[in-house]
Amino acid sequence: MSTTSIKIIDSETDKQRYTSYLLKDIQALERMLTENKFEQGVQRIGAEQEMVFINEAFRPAFIGPKVKQRMNRPYVTTEYAQFNLEINLSPILFNGSCLTELSEELTAKIEEVEQEALRRNTQVLLTGILPTIRKSDTSPESMTPEPRYQALLENVNRLRGQQYEFNIQGLDELITRDNPSTFGGCMTSLQLHLQVDADKMVDMYNWAQLIAAPTLACATYSPVFLGKRLWHETRIALLRQTTDTRKPYSNLTNEEARVSFGNDWLRESVAEVFHDDVAGYKAYLTKEFHENALEVLDRGGVPKLEALNFHNGTIYRWNRICYGVFQGKPHLRIENRVLPAGPTIEDELANTAFWLGLMNALPERYQGLQQKIPFDRVKTNFLKAAQLGIEVEFEWLDRKLISARELILEELLPLAHEGLKKAGVNEKDYTHYLDIIRQRTESGRTGSRWILKSYEQLLDQSITPDEAWVAITAGMLERQQSNQPVHTWELASVKEAGDWKNRFWRLDQVMTKTIYTVEENDIVNLAAHIMSWKKIGHIPVERNGELVGIITKDSIINYYASNSSKDFAQTPIRNVMITNLVTAQPDMLVADAIDLIIKSDISCLPVVEGKKLVGIITEHDFVHISRHLYQELMDNVEPS
């Protein structure tokens, strides 16, 4: 998508002109389908690899645009956030050594980016969502300053408002109104392309929709966002809400989000997808168009279908049909946007081989799916796979309930073998990669399971959640560089997080985020009981969601000593709480926080953003930090 002339449609003239080009492009596409203008009998594959830059503390490094500018390669493009980048691989024929060629090109291009990253003391990580992302990393300033991204953000904010509720529920729950439209930069994927003959596209696209669930279930790698354990593939929920331009209650009229799995099968023609996209999704961006596609066809030429491709680029179907021209010949391809980046190149090639093999197999049993299984069931399977990962059960053909493991191992893997063999892919290559899928599925050790199990084990070692996410990210990077598939990984250890700077540098790394609060009109007895139950000495006091005071064991004792005749069952907390508060920001250095606590002669420090409480750090937390620092010091002392 060109980035130079993109603008928001802000006049009827813009809208009418854009619509005119768009309708001509669809008419041209329909005519090309009728006249068999598309390349036939040739299958090519391609891929787009998104990646994350991380710094020495294993947190986002905002260097994407600088790396792109320095590299100056046509296959390197920026992404939504400044800590991301994308590389595009060359289209190659789907046969012979294509998997090896894909692996070699992918490895070489990632290494090229890595070399540039290392010059800036950063590294490249392949992951669906970076576990160490914080809210401060999702501000509008974190976005890549290019017109298309700025226009997307401006449009979402214009249509929905700059603050709207964002809600994902999993093992934990994420509810926020802070910068949700910028969350789009927090996701990275491996997008696969397969060229398909136009006359086979209806069955092939429907087949791609059906197999989206099982191929995702065994490949999940993004179970956490902003420290919350959500879906096994949280990207699916995150991207849908991030790009949603609907107003509240607009779904009552069945208006679709711009990230969609779709609502029905293709019936007769591939053009139905584009009909739905134009009818169902209002155009909000435009650019300069110069081609009359119908006139190009009249002259015997091959149109670019600029307006249709542009509109298609603003709608993010998980399986998207794309039009392109390669070596002067028009073609159609399916773009698979389902799979996350990582965990390793080996895992990505295994996922690629599995999907390509399945696509090329398409047995007769799975043709004409429109008459064999309701689309809603397939859509439900996809969402369940994203939520639950490899442990999910699907409702399959004939209303059969089957586990993802059984379906993959007993039916889909043999089909993938057949499909790759039929394409003429080297047997040694596809056997190797499909065996990775088999072992991953049998063991249940997907990337998301590795992250969640590592987190559980690390918390058992009495470290903070933030320390755990740093250790996990460090472990992901080390194991990615070994290129051993994820099912062979050992769980992350706390030592992988590095020295204390990576774990105890800022308050948001060490503060307690699970906070018990009371209201100023609650009775003191309530606060006393909560302190006793939860073994805490401080409780923040709120009014209408804003911090207005704090009640401590000391403040209760001091009040009781001066008012021994008072009944705490009747005394409101506002009479006892401390109101001359000393607070800190999440990005304050821990060393500065210690100085502030000593100078202010206080025992706890509420951490706020504006007047909103986001955490608290107490003397107990500093004892925890001291224990780890002392242990680290002792580990580095030579025995005498």
Side-chain angles (χ1 to χ4, degrees):
M1 184 184 290
S2 169
T3 63
T4 54
S5 61
I6 295 175
K7 56 174 285 190
I8 289 177
I9 294 175
D10 56 9
S11 70
E12 287 301 317
T13 301
D14 282 345
K15 185 175 182 180
Q16 291 168 3
R17 185 172 184 276
Y18 177 75
T19 304
S20 177
Y21 275 103
L22 190 54
L23 294 177
K24 287 176 183 176
D25 280 2
I26 289 180
Q27 290 173 344
L29 176 75
E30 292 170 331
R31 184 170 148 189
M32 294 171 73
L33 289 168
T34 301
E35 298 174 1
N36 298 318
K37 295 285 188 180
F38 290 97
E39 186 175 28
Q40 293 283 112
V42 177
Q43 284 187 300
R44 294 186 184 88
I45 60 175
E48 303 166 51
Q49 175 74 70
E50 297 171 349
M51 61 194 73
V52 178
F53 292 108
I54 56 175
N55 59 27
E56 292 171 302
F58 305 105
R59 300 192 183 276
F62 296 78
I63 64 168
K66 295 177 182 177
V67 170
K68 176 186 180 296
Q69 184 178 21
R70 173 65 182 257
M71 291 183 66
N72 194 26
R73 298 286 192 272
Y75 51 79
V76 177
T77 63
T78 51
E79 269 297 318
Y80 201 79
Q82 294 192 53
F83 50 83
N84 295 340
L85 205 65
E86 177 183 285
I87 55 175
N88 297 286
L89 304 190
S90 308
I92 56 176
L93 290 174
F94 180 30
N95 59 28
S97 61
C98 64
L99 294 176
T100 296
E101 292 174 39
L102 199 65
S103 176
E104 290 175 349
E105 184 182 6
L106 184 59
T107 301
K109 286 183 174 177
I110 289 176
E111 287 179 352
E112 191 177 2
V113 177
E114 284 177 333
Q115 289 303 312
E116 186 58 41
L118 286 172
R119 294 190 184 99
R120 303 171 187 273
N121 296 318
T122 62
Q123 292 181 285
V124 169
L125 183 66
L126 304 179
T127 177
I129 298 175
L130 180 63
T132 52
I133 286 176
R134 298 170 291 203
K135 274 192 178 180
S136 58
D137 300 317
T138 65
S139 68
E141 291 72 30
S142 70
M143 288 182 56
T144 299
E146 287 189 5
R148 59 170 165 162
Y149 302 123
Q150 298 298 326
L152 285 171
L153 177 61
E154 182 182 345
N155 183 67
V156 171
N157 290 339
R158 177 176 62 89
L159 293 176
R160 289 205 53 171
Q162 294 194 20
Q163 286 197 322
Y164 54 88
E165 185 170 281
F166 193 95
N167 190 326
I168 303 177
Q169 296 188 26
L171 183 60
D172 300 321
E173 187 174 20
L174 176 66
I175 302 176
T176 181
R177 290 177 178 267
D178 297 332
N179 301 323
S181 55
T182 63
F183 290 167
C186 300
M187 300 162 283
T188 44
S189 63
L190 175 71
Q191 295 158 25
L192 303 176
H193 292 254
L194 174 64
Q195 184 174 328
V196 175
D197 288 351
D199 60 354
K200 299 176 182 176
M201 181 59 87
V202 170
D203 273 336
M204 288 287 279
Y205 184 74
N206 289 343
W207 175 230
Q209 294 284 75
L210 181 67
I211 65 173
T215 53
L216 176 62
C218 67
T220 56
Y221 195 41
S222 60
V224 59
F225 179 56
L226 297 182
K228 303 288 188 179
R229 294 162 297 173
L230 304 170
W231 293 12
H232 274 245
E233 194 53 42
T234 302
R235 288 171 44 254
I236 304 302
L238 189 60
L239 186 59
R240 180 180 176 87
Q241 294 192 42
T242 297
T243 59
D244 198 349
T245 56
R246 297 174 299 176
K247 292 181 173 62
Y249 309 112
S250 63
N251 63 325
L252 296 177
T253 60
N254 293 322
E255 184 181 349
E256 273 288 298
R258 298 192 87 87
V259 172
S260 172
F261 188 75
N263 284 314
D264 201 357
W265 297 114
L266 284 187
R267 300 289 175 177
E268 297 178 358
S269 169
V270 65
E272 293 166 15
V273 168
F274 300 104
H275 295 166
D276 289 345
D277 287 351
V278 174
Y281 298 98
K282 295 179 174 61
Y284 62 86
L285 296 177
T286 188
K287 59 180 287 241
E288 289 294 323
F289 301 108
H290 305 286
E291 176 192 76
N292 184 319
L294 294 172
E295 291 180 357
V296 172
L297 279 179
D298 289 339
R299 296 194 301 267
V302 176
K304 298 177 182 178
L305 304 188
E306 293 176 315
L308 186 61
N309 279 341
F310 183 83
H311 191 64
N312 200 28
T314 67
I315 300 162
Y316 310 97
R317 292 180 181 269
W318 291 112
N319 284 306
R320 184 159 64 181
I321 297 177
C322 302
Y323 169 88
V325 180
F326 184 70
Q327 296 178 346
K329 297 179 180 179
H331 68 266
L332 294 172
R333 62 185 187 274
I334 296 174
E335 179 188 17
N336 175 349
R337 304 171 56 84
V338 168
L339 300 170
T344 65
I345 293 176
E346 277 285 275
D347 286 299
E348 290 188 330
L349 264 293
N351 297 338
T352 299
F354 187 37
W355 184 73
L356 290 174
L358 283 175
M359 287 299 299
N360 202 50
L362 184 52
E364 184 176 349
R365 160 175 158 82
Y366 288 106
Q367 296 176 21
L369 286 169
Q370 309 92 312
Q371 287 81 41
K372 296 179 179 179
I373 182 172
F375 187 82
D376 284 352
R377 199 184 310 166
V378 177
K379 187 174 183 177
T380 299
N381 286 342
F382 177 69
L383 294 174
K384 286 167 58 179
Q387 291 170 323
L388 303 175
I390 195 63
E391 299 301 327
V392 72
E393 285 190 325
F394 300 129
E395 195 172 353
W396 209 242
L397 267 61
D398 306 319
R399 294 193 175 276
K400 179 182 179 182
L401 194 64
I402 186 170
S403 71
R405 289 187 185 185
E406 182 182 349
L407 177 63
I408 292 168
L409 294 172
E410 300 299 324
E411 183 171 4
L412 298 186
L413 267 175
L415 280 179
H417 275 273
E418 290 179 20
L420 292 167
K421 182 178 181 180
K422 185 169 75 171
V425 176
N426 290 346
E427 183 178 1
K428 182 179 178 181
D429 290 348
Y430 71 72
T431 300
H432 167 71
Y433 288 122
L434 293 184
D435 195 51
I436 291 174
I437 297 295
R438 179 186 62 78
Q439 293 183 61
R440 190 198 301 161
T441 302
E442 287 177 341
S443 65
R445 297 174 186 165
T446 61
S448 56
R449 290 286 296 277
W450 180 86
I451 290 173
L452 294 171
K453 284 183 174 291
S454 291
Y455 183 76
E456 182 180 318
Q457 175 178 278
L458 288 165
L459 288 194
D460 285 343
Q461 300 173 29
S462 300
I463 68 172
T464 66
D466 192 87
E467 287 178 90
W469 296 129
V470 172
I472 287 167
T473 303
M476 291 163 66
L477 179 64
E478 180 181 348
R479 289 155 182 75
Q480 173 191 303
Q481 292 172 340
S482 75
N483 205 27
Q484 295 300 308
V486 71
H487 69 271
T488 67
W489 289 8
E490 292 185 357
L491 297 182
S493 68
V494 67
K495 291 183 178 180
E496 294 184 85
D499 64 20
W500 62 274
K501 288 184 180 180
N502 294 342
R503 295 175 285 146
F504 308 124
W505 189 248
R506 305 190 335 171
L507 281 187
D508 60 1
Q509 294 175 266
V510 298
M511 67 187 186
T512 299
K513 298 176 184 176
T514 301
I515 313 168
Y516 301 95
T517 64
V518 290
E519 296 285 329
E520 60 181 345
N521 292 323
D522 289 334
I523 57 175
V524 174
N525 240 1
L526 173 63
H529 277 82
I530 292 175
M531 289 179 187
S532 174
W533 295 333
K534 298 300 178 181
K535 297 179 173 59
I536 55 178
H538 315 80
I539 302 182
V541 184
E542 294 182 316
R543 180 196 304 142
N544 298 325
E546 294 185 354
L547 180 68
V548 294
I550 192 161
I551 185 169
T552 70
K553 287 181 179 178
D554 286 346
S555 67
I556 293 175
I557 292 170
N558 291 337
Y559 184 83
Y560 182 75
S562 303
N563 303 272
S564 57
S565 61
K566 295 286 185 180
D567 181 4
F568 279 1
Q570 303 297 324
T571 304
I573 284 173
R574 65 174 179 271
N575 292 355
V576 181
M577 69 183 187
I578 299 166
T579 56
N580 56 331
L581 295 176
V582 178
T583 62
Q585 298 291 315
D587 59 355
M588 176 181 271
L589 300 183
V590 171
D592 293 339
I594 293 173
D595 286 342
L596 181 60
I597 285 176
I598 293 173
K599 290 176 182 177
S600 305
D601 192 24
I602 54 178
S603 57
C604 75
L605 192 60
V607 185
V608 298
E609 288 181 340
K611 293 184 178 180
K612 183 179 178 182
L613 183 71
V614 295
I616 190 170
I617 187 161
T618 69
E619 293 168 325
H620 175 78
D621 297 311
F622 288 117
V623 170
H624 168 83
I625 294 170
S626 299
R627 179 173 69 87
H628 282 279
L629 290 177
Y630 180 77
Q631 185 62 54
E632 187 172 313
L633 179 64
M634 294 302 294
D635 289 343
N636 292 323
V637 172
E638 293 288 337
S640 58

